[in-house]
């Protein structure tokens, strides 16, 4: 589409959804053009309502709502595309030096007063405009003259909640050198408060971005950037928290600009982009534009290198848990701290497990609360209720088992005492946060103990209920009877405590080809007279072990003799196939003869 040339375009923006285009060509009005199917593309105009006011700019707050910011206030309009007109919803008179808009939070910030350091925020939502509490930015020192002292260039807005960031080039305290970034927290209700100060410890030209809830400050003179995380602990002075940068200053990763032009020319090697150029323009939250080279980038934080820059694993975990794409990096850190050469102490490993399980528990509790509300039928009366979002910071037991603990035990690099201590430390942490431990973690402990013949330790763990009772655990113990005979009784005791359905246990053991263990279990609970002979003979035959089949067959012959006075199977037991197989393998003479008294 080609617009008619009606003079210089000062500002041009599509509405949310790209259905209406707004174009500002003069200081007095904004032109509109519909991009709606079957709608005539005829421009319509809205002049600002305030006399003698100049339009500084405009912001779309929805697909059909727009705000004009003038030097004398703001005007909030609804656009009616079908009527090709605008309806004034609300306006507010206030002297404005400059403005800033944060689309994620729908907040416009106006700089007012002669010095420009009193900021007035307005919040927009579904046709309403709310005036929030105004606040004053503390200037570095009392200005010598009554002229604008707070520049738009030194203010940014960030949506880690909603903060206003002020780049103060000189500290207010005489003993402090270098610039600092002051953060003001802007709540929906209540007054705005200064909450954080980020110490830059240097002077010069700076620019700010906010990436992945981190404040990134670029420094032109040294061509480096520093990262701040306000969620990490800082030095609290009673009202504000003072933060130093999390990592040493680092440069943005170099970018190679491909050479454009004919094929003969493009064989030339790409040209490195000039980083931290004076022609760079920075937009929130993460945009950098190189005006001289005509490039637009979005800034990203790479988490993998952070692992080697933050050596304190506790602080590293606190940092990683706040990032969006953190899961695989966290699991990699957990694997590293269990392996040489970076193996950590047990206390440090415990700290990391506790931090992970703290996040895991928070999610489980939120999920549980949501489920209770839904089941109680209260969700209809609360339309704002949303299912908790499972972020990458939620590292559950299956994540730890699959990516860290099972791999760690299989490697067998570490001394077995350390391996068992690590597994028990993870279980201890889960118990501390009252998270039900999954049976596969207990199985991992038992298998590790068995591999190292630590049966005395296994016995103690079971005796003192360090390993919680469960059906899968009892079945695992039954299968260990051949190498550790007391395991049979330990498993029976566990099953009795569980009051589990005995048929299920037999099925599980038979499915694992633990036929003798299943038979011993049934005898142990006194149910061997009523079990199906065919079921056990099927399982014994599938095991392809002739001696096992012989043992099971003989057991049932003896049972038949004891119960009916004849070792033969009745037609109702459907064991003809197994009798034939027995004769084929061991001969007819091996069949048990009826005993007469």
């Amino acid at each position: 589409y080609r617009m008619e040339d009606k003079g210089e375009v000062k500002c041009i923006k599509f509405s949310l959804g790209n259905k209406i285009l707004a174009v500002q060509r003069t200081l007095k009005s904004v032109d509109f053009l519909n991009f709606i199917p079957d709608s005539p593309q005829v421009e319509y105009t809205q002049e600002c309502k305030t006399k003698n006011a100049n339009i500084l700019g405009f912001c779309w707050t929805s697909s059909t709502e727009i705000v004009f910011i003038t030097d004398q206030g703001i005007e909030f309009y609804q656009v009616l595309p079908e009527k090709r007109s605008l309806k004034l919803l609300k306006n507010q008179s206030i002297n404005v030096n400059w403005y800033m808009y944060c689309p994620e939070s729908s907040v416009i910030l106006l700089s007012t007063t002669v010095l420009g350091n009193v900021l007035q925020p307005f919040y927009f939502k579904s046709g309403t405009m709310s005036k929030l509490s105004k606040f004053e930015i503390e200037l570095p020192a009392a200005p010598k003259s009554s002229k604008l002292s707070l520049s738009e260039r030194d203010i940014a807005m960030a949506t880690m909640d909603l903060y206003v960031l002020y780049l103060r080039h000189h500290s207010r305290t005489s003993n402090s050198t270098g610039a600092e970034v002051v953060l003001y927290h802007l709540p929906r209700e209540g007054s705005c408060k200064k909450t954080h100060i980020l110490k830059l410890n240097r002077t010069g030209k700076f620019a700010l971005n906010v990436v992945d809830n981190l404040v990134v400050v670029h420094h032109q003179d040294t061509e480096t950037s520093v990262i701040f995380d306000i969620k990490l602990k800082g030095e609290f002075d009673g009202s504000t928290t003072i933060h130093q940068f999390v990592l040493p200053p680092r440069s943005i990763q170099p970018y190679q600009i491909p050479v454009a032009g004919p094929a003969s020319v493009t064989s030339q090697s790409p040209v490195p982009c000039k980083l931290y150029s004076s022609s760079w323009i920075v937009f929130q939250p993460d945009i950098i534009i190189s005006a001289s080279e005509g490039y637009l980038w979005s800034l990203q934080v790479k988490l993998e290198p952070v692992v080697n820059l933050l050596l304190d694993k506790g602080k590293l975990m606190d940092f990683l848990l706040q990032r969006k794409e953190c899961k695989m990096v966290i699991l990699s850190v957990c694997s590293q701290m269990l392996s040489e050469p970076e193996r950590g102490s047990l206390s440090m490993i415990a700290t990391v497990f506790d931090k992970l399980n703290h996040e895991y528990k928070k999610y489980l509790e939120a999920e549980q609360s949501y489920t209770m509300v839904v089941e109680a039928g209260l969700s209809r009366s609360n339309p704002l209720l949303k299912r908790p979002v499972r972020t990458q910071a939620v590292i559950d037991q299956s994540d730890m088992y699959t990516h860290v603990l099972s791999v760690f035990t299989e490697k067998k690099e570490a001394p077995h005492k350390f391996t068992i201590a690590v597994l028990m430390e993870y279980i201890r942490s889960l118990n501390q946060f009252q998270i039900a431990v999954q049976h596969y973690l207990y199985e991992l402990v038992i298998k590790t103990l068995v591999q190292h013949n630590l049966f005395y330790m296994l016995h103690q763990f079971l005796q003192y209920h360090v390993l919680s009772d469960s059906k899968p655990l009892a079945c695992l113990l039954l299968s260990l009877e051949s190498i550790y005979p007391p395991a049979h009784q330990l498993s029976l005791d566990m099953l009795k405590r569980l009051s589990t359905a005995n048929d299920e246990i037999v099925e599980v053991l038979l499915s694992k080809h633990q036929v003798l263990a299943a038979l011993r279990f049934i005898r142990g609970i006194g149910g061997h007279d009523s079990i199906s002979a065919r079921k056990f003979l099927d399982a014994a035959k599938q095991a392809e072990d002739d001696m096992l089949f012989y043992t099971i067959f003989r057991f049932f012959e003896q049972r038949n003799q004891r119960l009916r006075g004849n070792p033969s199977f009745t037609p109702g037991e459907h064991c003809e196939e197994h009798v034939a197989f027995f004769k084929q393998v061991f001969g007819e003479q091996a069949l048990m003869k009826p005993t007469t008294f």
Side-chain angles (χ1 to χ4, degrees), residues 138 163-173 176-185 193-201 215 217 227-230 232-245:
E138 289 179 355
Y163 284 93
V164 174
L165 282 61
Y166 165 44
L167 177 58
R168 192 155 62 191
H169 290 273
H170 305 287
S171 171
R172 284 179 72 84
T173 53
S176 175
T177 56
E180 54 194 26
V181 177
V182 185
L183 271 72
Y184 293 83
H185 182 233
K193 287 191 179 75
K194 182 172 76 168
T195 52
H196 301 271
I197 295 176
L198 317 180
K199 290 287 188 183
L200 300 177
N201 302 325
V215 179
V217 185
I227 287 174
F228 293 89
D229 185 350
I230 63 166
L232 295 182
K233 278 182 186 166
E235 188 186 320
F236 187 64
D237 68 0
S239 60
T240 52
T241 307
I242 296 160
H243 300 265
Q244 304 295 337
F245 32 81

Side-chain angles (χ1 to χ4, degrees), residues 563-581:
L563 296 178
R564 294 197 300 269
N566 191 317
S568 305
F569 293 92
T570 63
E573 290 181 282
H574 306 294
C575 292
E576 295 81 4
E577 175 196 336
H578 296 301
V579 172
F581 179 74

Side-chain angles (χ1 to χ4, degrees), residues 370-383:
Y370 172 81
T371 308
M372 283 167 69
V373 170
V374 169
E375 286 174 355
L378 300 172
S379 52
R380 289 185 200 88
S381 59
N382 184 1

